[in-house]
Amino acid sequence: MMQNCLVTGATGLIGFELCKLLLQHGENVIALSRDADPVRLQSFQTATNFHLLSGDITDRKFTNDIFQCSKIDFVFHMAVERTFANSNDSASSDIQQTAAYKT
């Protein structure tokens, strides 16, 4: 039985590999990306069980609409907000100041 799998962070290394594996196993993949036309996911575009959604998971209306409009069986949350310390500064970035932490 085909399951509907939502993959956030689908353009990242792990998210991409997870999408590929789920598609190979015949699952229905709903991939989320902030990019409207991510190059990394172009190879999946012809698969009938692959669906790309473009948006920001920190946008509550966007995420609520996904769950209102789609029957989701599994969520694989691979999205991350990358923060890098300033290479000229020895101080590390404060994770509590990121949008992902505050949301």
Side-chain angles (χ1 to χ4, degrees):
M1 174 191 246
M2 185 182 287
Q3 303 289 316
N4 292 323
C5 303
L6 177 66
V7 180
T8 69
T11 59
L13 178 65
I14 296 171
F16 171 79
E17 291 298 326
L18 178 60
C19 288
K20 184 166 59 172
L21 184 65
L22 290 168
L23 289 168
Q24 288 171 351
H25 281 64
E27 304 298 350
N28 188 37
V29 174
I30 301 164
L32 295 187
S33 172
R34 283 184 275 185
D35 187 354
D37 187 24
V39 173
R40 182 171 251 175
L41 301 178
Q42 285 180 348
S43 61
F44 301 147
Q45 295 291 341
T46 58
T48 58
N49 56 330
F50 179 80
H51 311 281
L52 176 64
L53 295 178
S54 177
D56 187 341
I57 63 168
T58 64
D59 178 343
R60 290 178 192 243
K61 181 178 179 344
F62 172 71
T63 53
N64 284 337
D65 288 349
I66 292 169
F67 287 94
Q68 293 294 320
C69 298
S70 304
K71 179 187 176 291
I72 306 294
D73 298 303
F74 296 98
V75 175
F76 296 93
H77 183 41
M78 302 290 120
V80 298
E81 180 177 25
R82 294 185 208 168
T83 57
F84 300 98
N86 183 338
S87 60
N88 299 327
D89 185 1
S90 62
S92 63
S93 59
D94 184 358
I95 192 73
Q96 294 180 351
Q97 297 306 312
T98 64
Y101 185 87
K102 291 178 180 180
T103 305

